[in-house]
Amino acid sequence: MAKYSASPFYSVVGGIEFNVEGTYETESADEIALLDALSPTWIKQEAPEEAVKPAPKPRKAPANTSAK
């Protein structure tokens, strides 16, 4: 599945219409190819949620331990 964002109610030839929030989701390979061709000029493909998670912060040693 691919998720795209554009201006609210943006429409593309072929019946693709973005919703009031400006998002559109599809699993169709033909629609994905068409929308990818318009990206990044008119449409932005959103990153999958797994890729958006921030990296974990490195742990720091407590102040009362000595470094060797």
Side-chain angles (χ1 to χ4, degrees), residues 45-68:
Q45 185 172 10
E46 296 185 9
E49 290 183 22
E50 301 88 41
V52 177
K53 293 180 183 176
K57 294 182 180 179
R59 298 178 124 190
K60 295 182 180 179
N64 60 356
T65 61
S66 62
K68 293 183 179 182

Side-chain angles (χ1 to χ4, degrees), residues 26-57:
T26 184
E27 293 181 359
S28 168
D30 292 336
E31 289 182 352
I32 291 171
L34 176 62
L35 294 170
D36 283 349
L38 296 172
S39 189
T41 304
W42 299 105
I43 297 170
K44 176 185 168 193
Q45 185 172 10
E46 296 185 9
E49 290 183 22
E50 301 88 41
V52 177
K53 293 180 183 176
K57 294 182 180 179

